[in-house]
Amino acid sequence: MASYTLHVVYRGRAAPAETIEENAPQAVLETIPRLLQAHPDCHRIIVYSGPTHIFSVDCNGATVRD
């Protein structure tokens, strides 16, 4: 089973404000809205599968290119 890491990133901060681990793609998709609600002013939520960047969303939940 793949492991996914979600990082909540703010501009000007060196480290993520929050990091969440999930084990399934559906869990990732369910976690993103909760993170956006908890961090409405974040710059990005970045999703990785292992070391590979999968996608990122902005503070509105829209997929963005990094």
Side-chain angles (χ1 to χ4, degrees):
M1 189 178 330
S3 177
Y4 299 90
T5 305
L6 295 83
H7 293 294
V8 179
V9 177
Y10 284 84
R11 287 189 194 269
R13 291 193 189 176
E18 186 170 352
T19 298
I20 302 287
E21 295 282 334
E22 295 291 0
N23 290 320
Q26 185 63 34
V28 170
L29 297 178
E30 292 169 358
T31 298
I32 289 172
R34 290 194 299 268
L35 288 173
L36 290 171
Q37 186 174 14
H39 300 275
D41 297 328
C42 71
H43 176 61
R44 299 272 192 269
I45 296 175
I46 305 170
V47 181
Y48 292 92
S49 177
T52 304
H53 175 257
I54 303 297
F55 68 95
S56 299
V57 297
D58 64 15
C59 65
N60 296 312
T63 304
V64 293
R65 296 182 146 244
D66 285 326

